[in-house]
């Protein structure tokens, strides 16, 4: 079914409403039962309400992990999956808000990693518990058995009882997200591996944020279960079925782009550009003499580096050298998803390589923090995030306007204004946050110096600012008349379909003239 038809169908919206209602009821019941002492009450409540919802609402997932597993096994459309996850998170948040108001103590609402284990242990239990739950869900859907509600309810209860002592037995990202949103307690929601380079002041388990247990664990377990059942355990499993899934049109489009030499040239350009950006910009930020660093010098260095790289590499990859810029172009449907992922990996590796080269060629006393992005002592993380957001938004707006082919903008022409915009951001923001505007630029010195204090600011601020800038330019300031189907096609890497205007222009163009006869040069003998 086409996207437009699906959005106009009553069945689609009934399914979305069922997901919101089911998740609201499920999370509300589980959170209400969490007020009772011990793990037995919430585990039994979750199992009973899950079984009841299967019997009454026809089997809604009420769980983003199960929805993503169905999406990976091609049992759900991308639009239905995205709308379902959004509805589930909304329902969980509404239920959590109601539970917080109703319950006298909200300390038991948030799922936490137990003190008896580690983040790795909690991740393993969440993965295993969701794996067995998803297996039961897929088997119940396959056989349409009348006892499906009992099977799913038992799986929810068993998983909660087994994983509860280690991770709280979530098995449902929305169930953990809702309480975290309404209480503002994210200490164990975004937990750490406790790696040796974590700063002492970092919260939760003595390490910096590293692994999202309550998203990664359930999603990984559900997807593995879905793939295992559909292509190995199910009665209809076969190699042909697996091949049909892997040879779907979306995967074929991605593989076609991965096999093109233009794709790999662009990825290489992003790697080299990021390496040079880190080397030149961070190198100019070092202090070779006593005294405060030169703000103007650092701002000009980063700005001129961006100008040079856009001029040199813009015609190959666009000269992003910045995950925030890549995210903005992806949101504006001006970049395919495979290319965006390739760019992000190349940018992070390039920045790491550039910082490593700078570390190796710089004398020890001069290295310092290697240009590490750091907040001013009087600037809090929230304030720093807002500053980075606004700086990146103005930078993205300048990039979009300079690259816009409707205004005769080309990367070569865009080099100067883009460089000036980056320098301007540094001149203002360097005292506040170090003026990163580039997550990879902040990530590289943090890895080399093993200092991740407030590092999340330099991902959240630039990425949110890039998204804001992309939305403002593409949908408010200078919108492009493109349908949702055209935008999704661009994300998949499909060639743009000819519009009515371009088709009419092509029809009115005169046919090309035949090539002229070659001139024969004759010499006259003397």
């Amino acid at each position: 079914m086409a996207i437009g038809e699906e959005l106009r169908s009553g069945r689609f919206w009934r399914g979305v409403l069922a997901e919101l209602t089911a998740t609201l009821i499920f999370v509300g019941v589980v959170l209400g039962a969490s007020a009772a002492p011990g793990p037995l009450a919430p585990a039994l409540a979750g199992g009973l309400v899950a079984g009841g919802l299967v019997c009454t609402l026809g089997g809604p997932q009420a769980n983003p992990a199960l929805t993503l597993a169905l999406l990976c096994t091609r049992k759900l459309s991308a639009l239905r999956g995205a709308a379902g996850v959004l509805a589930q998170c909304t329902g969980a948040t509404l239920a959590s808000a109601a539970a917080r108001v109703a319950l006298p103590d909200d300390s038991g609402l948030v799922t936490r990693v137990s003190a008896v284990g580690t983040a790795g242990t909690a991740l393993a239990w969440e993965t295993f518990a969701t794996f067995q739950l998803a297996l039961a869900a897929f088997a119940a859907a396959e056989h349409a058995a009348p006892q499906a509600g009992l099977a799913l309810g038992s799986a929810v209860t068993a998983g909660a009882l087994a994983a509860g002592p280690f991770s709280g037995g979530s098995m449902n990202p929305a169930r953990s997200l809702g309480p975290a949103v309404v209480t503002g307690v994210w200490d164990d929601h975004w937990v750490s591996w406790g790696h040796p380079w974590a700063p002492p002041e970092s919260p939760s388990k003595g390490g910096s944020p590293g692994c999202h247990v309550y998203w990664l664990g359930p999603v990984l377990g559900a997807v593995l279960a879905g793939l295992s059942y559909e292509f190995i355990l199910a009665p209809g499993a076969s190699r042909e079925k697996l091949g049909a899934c892997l040879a779907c049109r979306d995967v074929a489009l991605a593989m076609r782009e991965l096999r093109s030499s233009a794709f790999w040239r662009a990825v290489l350009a992003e790697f080299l550009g990021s390496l040079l950006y880190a080397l030149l910009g961070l190198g100019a930020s070092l202090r070779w003499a006593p005294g405060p660093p030169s703000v103007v010098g650092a701002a000009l260095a980063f700005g001129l580096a961006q100008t040079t790289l856009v001029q040199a590499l813009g015609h190959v990859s666009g000269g992003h050298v910045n995950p925030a810029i890549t995210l903005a172009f992806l949101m504006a449907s001006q970049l395919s998803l495979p290319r965006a992922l390739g760019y992000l990996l190349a940018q992070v590796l390039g920045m790491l390589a550039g910082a490593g080269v700078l570390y190796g060629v710089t004398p020890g006393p001069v290295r310092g923090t290697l240009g590490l992005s750091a907040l001013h002592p009087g600037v809090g993380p929230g304030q720093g995030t807002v500053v980075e957001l606004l700086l990146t938004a103005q930078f993205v707006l300048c990039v979009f306007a300079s690259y816009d082919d409707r205004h005769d903008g080309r990367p070569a022409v865009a080099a100067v204004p883009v460089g000036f915009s980056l320098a301007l951001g540094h001149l203002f923001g360097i005292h506040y946050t170090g003026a990163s505007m580039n997550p990879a630029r902040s990530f590289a010195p943090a890895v080399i110096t093993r200092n991740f204090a407030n590092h999340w600011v330099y991902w959240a601020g630039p990425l949110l600012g890039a998204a804001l800038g992309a939305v403002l330019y593409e949908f408010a300031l200078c919108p492009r008349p493109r349908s949702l189907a055209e935008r999704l096609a661009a994300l998949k890497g499909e060639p743009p379909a000819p519009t009515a205007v371009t088709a009419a222009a092509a029809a009115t163009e005169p046919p090309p003239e035949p090539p002229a006869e070659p001139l024969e040069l004759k010499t006259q003998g003397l």
Side-chain angles (χ1 to χ4, degrees), residues 216-233:
L216 179 60
V219 170
L220 182 62
V223 170
L224 287 176
L227 296 176
S228 300
Y229 187 84
E230 281 296 307
F231 305 123
I232 300 176
L233 304 176

Side-chain angles (χ1 to χ4, degrees), residues 277 281 295-312 318-322 325 391 394-403 410-428 435-437:
Y277 182 85
V295 174
V296 177
L300 287 177
F302 280 109
L304 292 174
Q306 187 77 32
T307 301
T308 302
L309 294 171
V310 170
Q311 179 70 34
H320 296 185
V321 297
N322 187 338
I325 298 297
L391 293 179
Q394 66 86 25
F395 180 46
V396 168
L397 283 174
C398 179
V399 171
F400 269 61
S402 302
Y403 277 58
R410 295 290 185 272
V413 181
V416 174
V418 167
F420 278 154
S421 175
L422 189 65
L424 176 64
H426 278 82
L427 288 173
F428 169 79
S436 170
M437 296 177 282

Side-chain angles (χ1 to χ4, degrees), residues 196-442:
W197 58 75
E201 65 271 22
S202 183
S204 72
K205 306 287 181 187
S208 68
C211 176
H212 216 323
V213 164
Y214 299 110
W215 278 90
L216 179 60
V219 170
L220 182 62
V223 170
L224 287 176
L227 296 176
S228 300
Y229 187 84
E230 281 296 307
F231 305 123
I232 300 176
L233 304 176
S238 64
R239 287 183 297 177
E240 290 75 15
K241 188 175 181 180
L242 176 61
C245 181
L246 294 178
C248 67
R249 188 163 178 261
D250 297 346
V251 176
L253 287 170
M255 294 305 296
R256 185 178 64 184
E257 187 164 17
L258 290 176
R259 287 194 295 266
S260 69
S261 58
F263 172 85
W264 292 107
R265 284 198 301 269
V267 170
L268 178 60
E270 286 298 310
F271 174 83
L272 293 176
S274 300
L275 187 154
L276 294 173
Y277 182 85
L279 182 66
L280 299 172
L282 296 178
S285 303
L286 301 179
R287 278 185 279 182
W288 290 81
S294 172
V295 174
V296 177
L300 287 177
F302 280 109
L304 292 174
Q306 187 77 32
T307 301
T308 302
L309 294 171
V310 170
Q311 179 70 34
L313 304 174
H315 62 288
V316 181
S317 66
H320 296 185
V321 297
N322 187 338
I325 298 297
T326 299
L327 173 66
F329 276 94
L330 180 66
M331 289 189 62
S333 302
Q334 299 188 39
L335 199 69
S336 69
L337 182 59
R339 185 169 290 239
L341 295 176
Y343 279 17
L344 292 175
L345 181 61
Q347 290 157 0
V348 171
L349 294 179
M351 292 286 181
L352 286 172
V357 170
L358 182 64
Y359 184 88
V361 300
T362 306
V366 180
R367 289 174 190 155
T369 58
L370 209 66
L372 179 73
S373 301
L375 298 176
H376 187 276
V379 177
Q383 296 168 314
T385 302
V386 173
V387 170
E388 286 291 323
L389 185 152
L390 295 176
L391 293 179
T392 310
Q394 66 86 25
F395 180 46
V396 168
L397 283 174
C398 179
V399 171
F400 269 61
S402 302
Y403 277 58
D404 197 339
D405 53 6
R406 293 171 293 177
H407 301 159
D408 294 327
R410 295 290 185 272
V413 181
V416 174
V418 167
F420 278 154
S421 175
L422 189 65
L424 176 64
H426 278 82
L427 288 173
F428 169 79
I430 202 165
H431 288 299
Y432 290 86
T433 63
S436 170
M437 296 177 282
N438 187 330
R441 170 258 181 273
S442 298

